[in-house]
Amino acid sequence: MEETIPPEQPGNLQDYDRAYREFNWASMEREFDWSHGGVYNVVSEALDRHCRNGRRDKVALISILADNSVNTITFGQMSELTSKFGDGLLKLGAAKGDRIFVFLDRSPELFVSILGIAKMGGIAGPLFSALGPEAVRDRILDSQAKIVITSPYLFHRIIPILRDISVVEKFIIVGKDGVDNEKAIPYEEVLASGDASFQAVAMEPEDPYIIHYTSGSTGKPKGVLLGHKAMMQQAMSCRYVVDLRDDDIYWCTADPGWVTGTSVGIFGPWYLGNTIISYQGRFDAAMWYSIMERFKVTVWFTAPTALRMLKKSGDEVVSGYDISSVRHICSAGEPLNPEVIRWGMKVLGRRIHDNWWQTETGAPCISNFKCMKIKLGSMGRPLPGVVVAIVDEHGKPLPPRKEGFLALRPGWPAMMVGIYGSKQRYRDYFHVPGWYISGDQAYMDEEGYIWFLGRADDVIKTSGERLGPFEVESALIEHPAVAESAVIGKPDELRGAIVKAFIVLKPGVAPSDKLKEEITQFVRTQLAYYAYPREIEFVASLPKTRSGKIMRRVLKAKEMGQPLGDLSTLED
Ligand code: ATP
Ligand code: MG
């Protein structure tokens, strides 16, 4: 029997089936100023528009720095700051279409930089501030970035690779204690040189405003370009998936270095005129709950890894805080284990709404909506206006419950407009006629709910059956001793592959052979005969990308004694 949670009180989307039948993107276009003669530019719509519609003095950003100090910036101020910075960049010699990287901690300057770049027609390249020098070098060289905006301490981190990145003409440095380098120029100077009345540069829908590198879970990260037209779907998904309303205090925990951090973390909510929170510090369960309490966060967007860490930190922690203001929770980026949803219901008292998308899709495409029942373990149903199918290698849609390629009909508004520097890599996504092939495997049930199996590369062929790691991992973490797990197929002469599980135990639990046996017995009863792990290894942690995704390919390569491949996004 499928385990379900009933719909919550109606959200912004009231009737999914009707919306799916009737929704068209033209209705969304009319909400933007460009459709009434305004300038076509994401920043004009995210900021400048609000100076004319009564939100000039509304708080756009609450930026909590690592030392706990708080900056608040209104839409009016943000609009001016980005005009000054965008104009300052032009005066510095930057031009429309230039790739300009932002290598900063989460701070007001990070936001001003990204939107200032897009405002002058540039392509912003946000880089997560935890990236190491090699990862920064790879991205700069791949995209031939001309300018890098950074801080003194992050500049020092990339000194070892400075000689390799001579393509960079200027480093704009945020922070007083300057940097001694002939290419360095203070951020304040660039800002001061710009004009506050500078108007956003008119762009074409397909012109890119941002370049996001993928997480590197399956290989070398790709430089995905998103176009200004993505605004339609980012606004739409923030209304219907994230369920934002005018008075919300919204916290998306994803770093702007990843697509979630900008599409539904900055741009989407700002199109709708919402107040967002940004927290500079690293993950800490107590700190996170205290932010929700202190700022009365109402809507919270996070990821399975963070939720599993919160769960692991113990339920006593959360009970010390009043987080009753939180009315809606979303999760994306990795499969959301049913056990985590159950925990959310028990401890947070809220449903967690899983939604699926990729850097390449630019915005959520499949989601659990408030007005729908949640089937635990399912990613939900397609976004109105987006056609999703499970297809075979010829593009033929498969019947319910048949596993295949998770595919989208090309043309959804936030679809990437290119992979930087490689037309071929872009075309590869469309090799099956009529479809965009996501690289994930899934099936759809009779009600149109989509169930994730795994990435195509991670699907395990064992005893003649195909098995997704997610199913086994989800069963494993239901065992009280297990905090996290990753499952791979280990080549085996007899069975093709056997299931091997890497397990992180909860704090204080001692590893033993007896425990392995107990865990095996525990999952054996819940899974198909071929799906239980024949091998278990206890590990202190799992290899993850900096965006928090389990890198199963690294476990697999290690297991097989093969080269580990691109590790530029591996966490320490
Ligand atoms: P790379 O493309 O470099 O290998 P990546 O695919 O992890 O890395 P992202 O674009 O950040 O890079 O992540 C998209 C992928 O994340 C999806 O293809 C899917 O495998 C996974 N994913 C995202 N959301 C979900 C979800 N709700 N459920 C299951 N998987 C998800
Ligand atoms: Mg990918």
Side-chain angles (χ1 to χ4, degrees):
M1 253 304 277
E2 265 161 14
E3 190 178 340
T4 62
I5 307 175
E8 273 183 357
Q9 91 275 5
N12 291 336
L13 187 72
Q14 305 219 334
D15 179 342
Y16 173 82
D17 292 296
R18 186 166 162 203
Y20 198 81
R21 273 194 316 273
E22 295 178 358
F23 178 82
N24 65 61
W25 290 107
S27 66
M28 210 58 220
E29 292 177 4
R30 285 193 288 278
E31 292 190 21
F32 290 97
D33 273 15
W34 61 261
S35 73
H36 312 287
V39 173
Y40 200 105
N41 184 306
V42 286
V43 183
S44 166
E45 304 290 348
L47 297 174
D48 307 350
R49 184 160 65 108
H50 300 306
C51 299
R52 302 184 290 269
N53 68 10
R55 292 199 188 92
R56 176 184 282 276
D57 298 323
K58 180 173 174 177
V59 173
L61 174 67
I62 301 174
S63 168
I64 310 158
L65 300 183
D67 65 5
N68 252 328
S69 64
V70 177
N71 278 295
T72 56
I73 303 184
T74 64
F75 280 99
Q77 291 166 330
M78 219 17 147
S79 169
E80 272 197 14
L81 284 165
T82 52
S83 280
K84 292 179 75 165
F85 192 67
D87 190 35
L89 285 172
L90 285 174
K91 289 182 171 145
L92 200 63
K96 197 169 170 172
D98 281 352
R99 280 75 57 210
I100 302 178
F101 276 18
V102 186
F103 187 40
L104 286 174
D105 284 330
R106 290 181 291 273
S107 61
E109 292 83 4
L110 170 71
F111 292 78
V112 172
S113 298
I114 293 175
L115 281 92
I117 294 165
K119 201 167 200 171
M120 52 68 67
I123 305 173
L127 296 176
F128 185 29
S129 63
L131 291 183
E134 286 77 22
V136 173
R137 178 189 55 205
D138 290 354
R139 285 157 183 72
I140 288 177
L141 292 181
D142 182 66
S143 65
Q144 298 289 297
K146 270 174 75 173
I147 299 178
V148 177
I149 302 152
T150 188
S151 62
Y153 101 90
L154 290 171
F155 181 83
H156 281 107
R157 191 184 300 160
I158 58 174
I159 284 180
I161 53 127
L162 274 189
R163 219 170 319 148
D164 304 341
I165 54 167
S166 56
V167 46
V168 177
E169 293 166 13
K170 289 271 185 274
F171 291 96
I172 300 177
I173 310 290
V174 177
K176 296 267 179 292
D177 44 339
V179 159
D180 184 23
N181 184 288
E182 56 190 339
K183 292 183 176 177
I185 166 169
Y187 169 88
E188 293 300 330
E189 211 169 281
V190 180
L191 201 61
S193 71
D195 194 334
S197 63
F198 172 75
Q199 293 297 306
V201 171
M203 305 299 288
E204 294 296 325
E206 300 267 327
D207 284 339
Y209 70 97
I210 210 159
I211 179 167
H212 270 301
Y213 282 82
T214 56
S215 293
S217 308
T218 58
K220 195 171 164 53
K222 300 156 283 251
V224 172
L225 296 163
L226 299 180
H228 284 257
K229 67 181 172 138
M231 66 174 92
M232 255 77 73
Q233 194 174 341
Q234 292 168 352
M236 189 274 202
S237 53
C238 276
R239 177 172 303 148
Y240 294 133
V241 174
V242 192
D243 200 57
L244 290 178
R245 299 171 202 167
D246 216 14
D247 52 359
D248 275 320
I249 303 291
Y250 170 48
W251 184 25
C252 171
T253 62
D255 187 85
W258 314 109
V259 73
T260 313
T262 65
S263 291
V264 298
I266 305 176
F267 287 96
W270 279 357
Y271 298 135
L272 302 179
N274 281 106
T275 303
I276 63 172
I277 286 202
S278 153
Y279 170 56
Q280 190 169 51
R282 296 184 73 145
F283 174 84
D284 175 83
M287 188 62 198
W288 275 32
Y289 291 130
S290 81
I291 287 174
M292 292 191 224
E293 177 181 77
R294 179 171 166 205
F295 296 93
K296 301 208 165 31
V297 171
T298 56
V299 178
W300 184 43
F301 199 121
T302 189
T305 292
L307 290 164
R308 287 192 297 260
M309 286 200 286
L310 289 175
K311 180 170 178 283
K312 184 178 166 190
S313 75
D315 301 349
E316 322 75 67
V317 184
V318 63
S319 62
Y321 298 89
D322 175 9
I323 56 165
S324 56
S325 57
V326 177
R327 65 167 186 84
H328 189 63
I329 305 175
C330 292
S331 163
E334 273 203 302
L336 185 63
N337 319 93
E339 186 61 18
V340 177
I341 303 185
R342 280 181 216 118
W343 169 82
M345 290 302 287
K346 189 174 90 191
V347 175
L348 309 173
R350 292 272 167 266
R351 309 196 318 171
I352 303 173
H353 298 80
D354 183 22
N355 55 95
W356 176 93
W357 45 306
Q358 305 178 294
T359 311
E360 297 90 331
T361 71
C365 289
I366 299 170
S367 178
N368 286 283
F369 297 92
K370 242 179 146 58
C371 61
M372 280 168 30
K373 68 178 173 215
I374 289 179
K375 300 189 185 187
L376 275 68
S378 163
M379 309 192 285
R381 296 204 272 179
L383 209 72
V386 179
V387 177
V388 179
I390 309 298
V391 302
D392 67 12
E393 67 271 28
H394 309 294
K396 195 165 88 51
L398 296 169
R401 299 205 180 266
K402 191 103 178 84
E403 297 165 11
F405 300 114
L406 176 60
L408 307 178
R409 178 79 74 208
W412 69 96
M415 187 176 100
M416 63 171 164
V417 294
I419 298 285
Y420 193 87
S422 179
K423 290 207 164 65
Q424 190 50 48
R425 283 186 97 176
Y426 178 74
R427 279 196 293 266
D428 286 348
Y429 289 89
F430 305 94
H431 68 273
V432 174
W435 297 104
Y436 163 92
I437 300 294
S438 67
D440 289 345
Q441 298 277 90
Y443 68 86
M444 198 183 276
D445 69 16
E446 294 75 9
E447 290 180 289
Y449 280 71
I450 295 160
W451 299 73
F452 179 83
L453 287 162
R455 295 159 183 277
D457 301 349
D458 291 337
V459 170
I460 303 162
K461 290 165 205 101
T462 177
S463 309
E465 306 284 345
R466 296 168 55 77
L467 173 71
F470 172 51
E471 188 188 337
V472 186
E473 290 162 8
S474 288
L476 286 166
I477 73 163
E478 285 176 26
H479 188 280
V482 177
E484 244 186 333
S485 77
V487 162
I488 61 163
K490 177 177 172 180
D492 178 81
E493 255 173 49
L494 185 64
R495 297 185 174 84
I498 57 155
V499 178
K500 168 154 189 183
F502 296 84
I503 289 177
V504 179
L505 293 171
K506 289 224 179 105
V509 180
S512 69
D513 285 342
K514 192 165 155 277
L515 183 58
K516 276 186 197 173
E517 183 53 30
E518 195 191 300
I519 293 172
T520 309
Q521 289 313 326
F522 177 82
V523 291
R524 213 171 172 158
T525 53
Q526 305 178 44
L527 294 167
Y529 72 92
Y530 52 82
Y532 80 90
R534 286 176 190 270
E535 238 182 270
I536 287 180
E537 185 176 332
F538 293 126
V539 289
S541 64
L542 296 171
K544 284 187 186 166
T545 66
R546 297 230 173 242
S547 57
K549 294 168 198 251
I550 298 171
M551 287 168 109
R552 294 180 193 79
R553 70 172 163 99
V554 171
L555 291 169
K556 223 185 303 182
K558 258 198 197 149
E559 190 67 35
M560 292 162 69
Q562 289 171 351
L564 300 183
D566 184 290
L567 297 180
S568 65
T569 57
L570 186 69
E571 257 181 358
D572 4 66

Coordinates of all heavy atoms in Angstrom, one line a residue, residues 214-218 222 358-360 429 436 438-440 455 549, ligand 2:
T214 N 26.9 22.7 -13.2 CA 26.1 21.6 -12.6 C 26.9 21.1 -11.4 O 28.1 21.4 -11.2 CB 25.8 20.5 -13.5 OG1 27.1 20.0 -14.1 CG2 24.9 21.0 -14.7
S215 N 26.3 20.2 -10.6 CA 26.9 19.8 -9.3 C 28.1 18.9 -9.5 O 28.8 18.6 -8.6 CB 25.8 19.1 -8.5 OG 24.9 20.0 -8.1
G216 N 28.2 18.2 -10.7 CA 29.3 17.3 -10.8 C 29.1 16.0 -10.2 O 30.0 15.2 -9.9
S217 N 27.8 15.6 -10.0 CA 27.5 14.3 -9.5 C 27.9 13.1 -10.4 O 28.4 12.1 -10.0 CB 26.0 14.1 -9.2 OG 25.6 15.2 -8.4
T218 N 27.7 13.4 -11.7 CA 28.0 12.3 -12.6 C 29.3 12.5 -13.5 O 29.6 11.6 -14.2 CB 26.8 12.1 -13.6 OG1 26.6 13.4 -14.3 CG2 25.5 11.8 -12.9
K222 N 29.0 20.9 -16.0 CA 28.7 21.6 -17.3 C 28.3 23.0 -17.1 O 27.5 23.3 -16.1 CB 27.6 20.9 -18.0 CG 27.9 19.4 -18.4 CD 26.7 18.5 -18.5 CE 26.1 18.1 -17.2 NZ 26.2 16.8 -16.7
Q358 N 16.6 20.3 -12.5 CA 18.0 20.2 -12.8 C 18.5 21.6 -13.1 O 17.7 22.5 -13.4 CB 18.3 19.4 -14.0 CG 17.7 18.0 -14.0 CD 17.9 17.3 -15.3 OE1 17.4 17.6 -16.3 NE2 18.7 16.2 -15.2
T359 N 19.8 21.8 -13.0 CA 20.4 23.1 -13.5 C 19.9 23.4 -14.9 O 19.5 24.5 -15.2 CB 21.9 23.0 -13.5 OG1 22.4 22.4 -12.3 CG2 22.6 24.3 -13.7
E360 N 19.9 22.4 -15.7 CA 19.5 22.5 -17.1 C 18.0 22.9 -17.3 O 17.6 23.5 -18.3 CB 19.7 21.2 -17.9 CG 21.2 20.8 -18.0 CD 21.6 19.9 -16.8 OE1 21.0 20.0 -15.7 OE2 22.5 19.0 -17.0
Y429 N 21.4 16.4 -25.2 CA 20.2 16.2 -24.3 C 19.0 15.9 -25.2 O 18.0 15.5 -24.7 CB 20.0 17.5 -23.6 CG 20.9 17.8 -22.5 CD1 22.1 18.5 -22.7 CD2 20.7 17.4 -21.2 CE1 23.0 18.8 -21.7 CE2 21.6 17.7 -20.1 CZ 22.7 18.4 -20.4 OH 23.6 18.7 -19.4
Y436 N 13.6 16.2 -24.5 CA 14.8 16.5 -23.7 C 15.0 15.3 -22.8 O 14.0 15.0 -22.0 CB 14.6 17.8 -22.9 CG 15.5 18.0 -21.8 CD1 16.7 18.7 -22.0 CD2 15.3 17.5 -20.5 CE1 17.6 18.9 -21.0 CE2 16.2 17.6 -19.5 CZ 17.4 18.3 -19.7 OH 18.2 18.5 -18.7
S438 N 16.6 13.8 -19.5 CA 17.2 14.4 -18.3 C 18.4 13.6 -17.8 O 19.2 14.2 -17.1 CB 16.1 14.4 -17.2 OG 15.8 13.1 -16.8
G439 N 18.5 12.3 -18.1 CA 19.6 11.5 -17.6 C 19.1 10.8 -16.3 O 19.9 10.0 -15.7
D440 N 17.9 11.0 -15.9 CA 17.4 10.3 -14.7 C 16.4 9.2 -15.2 O 15.8 9.3 -16.2 CB 16.6 11.3 -13.8 CG 17.5 12.2 -13.1 OD1 18.7 12.0 -13.0 OD2 17.0 13.2 -12.5
R455 N 19.8 8.1 -11.1 CA 20.4 8.6 -12.3 C 20.7 7.4 -13.2 O 21.0 6.3 -12.7 CB 21.7 9.3 -12.0 CG 21.5 10.5 -11.2 CD 22.8 10.9 -10.5 NE 22.6 12.0 -9.6 CZ 22.6 13.3 -10.0 NH1 22.8 13.5 -11.3 NH2 22.4 14.3 -9.2
K549 N 25.0 16.6 -2.7 CA 24.5 15.4 -3.3 C 25.5 14.3 -3.1 O 26.7 14.4 -3.3 CB 24.3 15.6 -4.8 CG 23.2 16.6 -5.0 CD 23.2 16.9 -6.5 CE 22.5 18.2 -6.8 NZ 21.3 18.0 -7.5
Ligands
MG2 MG 23.0 16.5 -14.1

